[in-house]
Amino acid sequence: MSAVAIGLDRRGFILAQTRLLPVPHAPEISLHVAEEATELWQKTEDELATIGLPPPFWAFAWAGGQALARYLIDQPGNVAGKRVLDFASGSGLVAIAAAKAGAARVEACDIDAFAGEAIGLNAQANGVHIEVLLDDLIGRDEGWDVICAGDVCYERAMAESIIDWLSQLQARGATVLIGDPGRSYLPRDRLEVLATYQVPVTRSLEDAEIKQSSVWRLKG
């Protein structure tokens, strides 16, 4: 498939390159995920990069997202009846978990149009409604009650910007939940652990088959 064709048919590309499978640590949810992670990653490097698109973060159930999804399903009181934002949503895993846990309104934001399409497909597969926002929301406040962010601390500048923004949202009364396996730029000194899980992950993309992953809350 050419880069031009991919650009015109995101839905077709996702359906052709993924399978609908249960999430290992949250099997109540199924996602369209890549079975051959390295192959898809290389395909996007070779083909999608030619039209300036980012890597396919949407095609995998990352460790922090799985932990956060498990937490929301097991502790639905955190989101039930509330307006929830899943920031940097990727596949939409955490947004779907929030919807299944009884959130009144769920928005999933990402800057990748492929992620937006994947979120829609995954929401449909799980029988929930998710509002997709293709936008960079850092610095904005749309009145969310709960903001969830999974696996967002893998680059220093990005992590600092996101945590500062989330701190501002928390200061005005929002609940901020972060799912992360302890990546390099996770600001542990500003966080407290709510739950920890042993999460199965894609070995070709991570440094282990099981990642100890936690749900964190901003202190103060």
Side-chain angles (χ1 to χ4, degrees), residues 19 50 72 131 137 165 185 191:
R19 282 185 61 199
T50 65
L72 295 182
E131 297 178 42
L137 297 181
W165 169 57
Y185 302 110
L191 302 170

Side-chain angles (χ1 to χ4, degrees), residues 56-81:
F57 294 112
W58 48 266
F60 309 97
W62 297 89
Q66 289 197 58
L68 194 44
R70 180 77 268 151
Y71 182 75
L72 295 182
I73 292 171
D74 290 346
Q75 306 286 338
N78 286 283
V79 294

Side-chain angles (χ1 to χ4, degrees), residues 14-37:
I14 293 168
L15 293 175
Q17 301 298 329
T18 63
R19 282 185 61 199
L20 186 65
L21 297 171
V23 174
H25 205 62
E28 299 92 335
I29 297 171
S30 293
L31 298 176
H32 290 275
V33 293
E35 287 191 284
E36 297 297 332

Side-chain angles (χ1 to χ4, degrees), residues 92-112:
L93 169 58
V94 176
I96 292 166
K100 283 183 171 291
R105 178 180 177 185
V106 181
E107 295 161 273
C109 94
D110 206 289
I111 58 173
D112 181 359

Side-chain angles (χ1 to χ4, degrees), residues 63-64 151 179-183 186 188 206 211-214 216:
D151 300 285
D180 198 279
R183 300 195 188 278
L186 182 72
R188 294 172 182 268
E206 297 281 11
K211 294 284 284 187
Q212 180 169 295
S213 305
S214 297
W216 311 76

